[in-house]
Every structure is written in C-alpha cells, then in structure tokens.
Amino acid sequence: MKNKGLILITGATGYIGSHTVIELINAGYDVVGVDNFYNSTAKVLDGIKKIVGFNIKFEEVDCSDYKAFEKVFVKYPNIVGAIHFAACKAVGESIEKPLLYYRNNIVSLLNLIDLMNKKAKQANIVFSSSCTVYGQPSKKYLPIPETAPLVKSPSPYGKSKQMAEDILSDSVVAFPELKVCALRYFNPIGAHPTAYIGELPNGVPMNLVPFITQTAAGIRDHLNVFGDDYNTPDGSCIRDYIYVVDLAKAHVKALDKLLGEEPEAKKAAAKKIVAAKNSPYPAAEASGRWFVYNLGTGKGLSVLQLVKGFIKATGVKFNYVIAPRRKGDVEQVWADPSKAKKELGWKAATPIAEVLKSAWKWQQTLPKK
Ligand code: NAD
C-alpha cells in the first residue's frame, strides 16, 4: 500500500488516540505518537503493537512544553498532518482546577499550531472538539446540526473546547497554509474488537459505559441512574453513543479531506465558498480551509436503554438504582451526522449490541479491583 504520509498524533496512548493510530495505519498512513502519560500508560503501546504487528514511532512529550515538543518536529520533518487529542477531559475536575485545564488544553494547542506552521511539511490539523459546545439544544435543534447555536459552557473543560475552536478558526484566517477540521464528538464508547486496547478510566469512571462494565465485573456495587424524571420517553437522559472504532475511522476521512484526497474537497475549493448564515466562524469558513463535523450515530439512546441493552447483549446482569438528577447534566442531545456522511463519506455503522460486547470483552482483560 502507498504510504499516505506521516501523521503526528498527540495523546496517542489515550482512549480515542490509540484507536485512531490503528485506523490510520490500516488506511496506509505512517504515524508518530506523542503523549506524556498524564492519563494513560506506556502499556497501551504494547496493545497497539499486538494489533498492528510493530512498534509505532513514539515520543514521551508534554505538548505544553514548547521546547520539548519542538524536538519532535526536528526529529520528524516530514509531518503532513496532526490529530490533536492531547487534553484533560474531566468536566467536574475542570471546575475545581480551571488553571490546569486552560494551561494544558490551550497552551498545548497554541504550541501545536505554531509548530505545525513553522516546522511541519504541511499544516493540516484535525482537532478533538466536543458536543459540549452546543450545551442543551432546544427541541428544534434535535438532532443537532453543526449550524446550531453554540452555547457558553458552564465548565472550564467545555470552554476550553470553544476557545480552541476560536483559536483554530482565527489561525486559519491568519495562516494561508493552515487547514483545520474540528470534529465534535458525541459520546465515544466501546473498545477495539481484539480487546488489546480500550478505555482506561482513572479512579471512579465519569462515563456511563466504564461504570456499567465495572459494576457488571463486581468492582462497583451498583450503578446510579441520575434522574428518571426528565422530559424523555423513559425519564432518563439521552445521549448519542458512538463506537470508538467508528469514531477513529472518521479521523482518517478528515485527514484524507485535508490532504486533498477527497475529490469533493477539490471541487469545493474551486467554488467560491459562502459561510453559513449565523456561522460563528465566517472568515474561516470562507477561506475553504476550515471544516466542522458532528460525529455521532444520529440516534439518541437513553441511559436506561443503554443499561438494558448491555444486559441483553452480554447476558450479564448488574444492580442499578434510580438516583436524583446530577447537577449540570444535559437532558438530551444527539447528532445530525449528515454533513460528515455527505462531505467525508463517513457513517457510524457498528450496531450498539456489538459495541457493548466489545466494552465488556475489554473490561474482562482489566484487573478485578
Ligand atoms: P484520554 O485522556 O484517554 O486521552 C488523552 C491523552 O492525552 C492521554 O493519553 C493523556 O495522557 C494525553 N495528554 C494530556 N495532556 C497532554 C499533554 N500536555 N501532552 C501530551 N499528552 C497529553 O482522552 P480521550 O477520551 O481519548 O479524549 C481525546 C480527546 O477527545 C480529548 O481532547 C477530549 O477532550 C476529546 N473528547 C473526548 C470525549 C470522550 O468522551 N472521551 C468526548 C468529546 C471530546
């Protein structure tokens, strides 16, 4: 297979980064991963090796340390694109430690943009954004399209994603070589089908599926379902759960587009581009080098549907109780992913039962405590 070029992956040993490394290699890209193991371990590299059959290029680096990060670009002058996963991501923690979140998430991004502009062979950046930028959309925006209004997030984590989109879109306007794709993830779940890599929550899981699998494994006594009196069919919150491998594949499509392999992108670039009405990023959009996509399934599932779906898919029962609503939870949100389908040729395809089975298979490889 033809080598499609060297891609820098920040946060490469993290949950989504590690799955994306695999899909990029499967698609013919060469990768160099960086991570400072803030929220992952070097063992993930062994899991990646078991899947792809070789040691990937990897540097232990803190992306917020400019000098250290610069050395990666000196060592690998042929980088043609970067996917920026490296960030702190716990919403609750971000409220207690705002400076940690702003420093890590923003400074790392500033360094990446600067180094991609100055040192990389081509400045293409795919950025991990989040559906948190939409807050709780009104009913008329469900499923939510990219054109829905952005809402100021109550958490420093959410704000850091919004700031990052602002910084990237301003940079696209200022730097003619820079192309950016911001991917707004909904709720990634599941693990690689081999169960060699998966989600490794630190302490008590903040996300639903690791909590379910840990409860099913007997590590936790019961799962709290926060609220059954929301304005949803069964009263529990609704989210758009997307399989991490499907999500990883979207990054390949995004890079293909930025690197100009997508014929539609070439056609679009030749046309005069008019920014969408009310776009928060009109100048960036008009440049033809700024793209935003929702990555979700397009289907909302309630917490109770997911709990019951897990029990049905795996045959493993566990205790769950209805608890009071949790402060700050959005009632319901799910994606309109049609733009990603149309422009990237990407669609989340894996059935939820298979996804939940992959999460359970992964849990069974982890320590019992
Ligand atoms: P993760 O914590 O598993 O992965 C992030 C990785 O980045 C970790 O391995 C961590 O050690 C590394 N990292 C953090 N700061 C670093 C730094 N300064 N230098 C080098 N490495 C650093 O998280 P994830 O779930 O894989 O998320 C990846 C990205 O996607 C994050 O930007 C996150 O905000 C975003 N995102 C995640 C979700 C989700 O539910 N998992 C949803 C929306 C958006």
Side-chain angles (χ1 to χ4, degrees), residues 15-16 35-36 38-40 62-63 85 89 104 157 161:
Y15 175 42
I16 309 170
D35 206 295
N36 63 352
Y38 176 80
N39 195 34
S40 57
D62 179 343
C63 303
F85 295 105
K89 64 164 182 179
N104 196 38
Y157 168 74
K161 291 295 173 194

Side-chain angles (χ1 to χ4, degrees), residues 156-334:
Y157 168 74
K159 285 194 192 106
S160 81
K161 291 295 173 194
Q162 294 169 348
M163 284 177 196
E165 287 196 6
D166 285 343
I167 292 167
L168 283 160
S169 59
D170 287 346
S171 300
V172 161
V173 176
F175 308 121
E177 300 301 320
L178 181 65
K179 285 189 258 167
V180 173
C181 189
L183 301 178
R184 294 179 182 153
Y185 310 158
F186 282 66
N187 294 68
I189 60 168
H192 196 265
T194 58
Y196 291 144
I197 55 170
E199 188 170 5
L200 273 175
N202 204 348
V204 180
M206 293 296 152
N207 290 339
L208 180 60
V209 170
F211 211 108
I212 289 178
T213 57
Q214 289 194 4
T215 312
I219 297 169
R220 316 245 158 238
D221 175 60
H222 66 274
L223 168 82
N224 285 319
V225 174
F226 295 110
D228 67 348
D229 55 354
Y230 284 102
N231 187 19
T232 59
D234 65 21
S236 63
C237 290
I238 293 179
R239 296 286 180 276
D240 187 333
Y241 296 98
I242 171 163
Y243 185 34
V244 68
V245 175
D246 287 338
L247 183 66
K249 288 179 179 164
H251 293 76
V252 175
K253 298 283 191 182
L255 270 176
D256 287 348
K257 183 175 178 80
L258 291 183
L259 286 161
E261 293 203 356
E262 185 67 44
E264 285 308 311
K266 285 186 187 156
K267 272 193 251 159
K271 283 193 228 150
K272 179 151 175 46
I273 297 162
V274 180
K277 201 171 148 235
N278 300 331
S279 165
Y281 310 118
E285 246 180 71
S287 76
R289 292 174 285 104
W290 167 254
F291 308 94
V292 179
Y293 297 104
N294 282 341
L295 298 181
T297 63
K299 195 170 177 272
L301 276 183
S302 75
V303 173
L304 286 169
Q305 280 176 315
L306 199 80
V307 165
K308 289 171 190 163
F310 178 87
I311 295 171
K312 192 166 171 220
T314 61
V316 182
K317 293 203 172 101
F318 63 91
N319 294 328
Y320 60 92
V321 297
I322 306 298
R325 289 182 180 198
R326 193 169 52 175
K327 201 167 163 263
D329 271 345
V330 163
E331 180 177 272
Q332 48 189 320
V333 64
W334 65 96

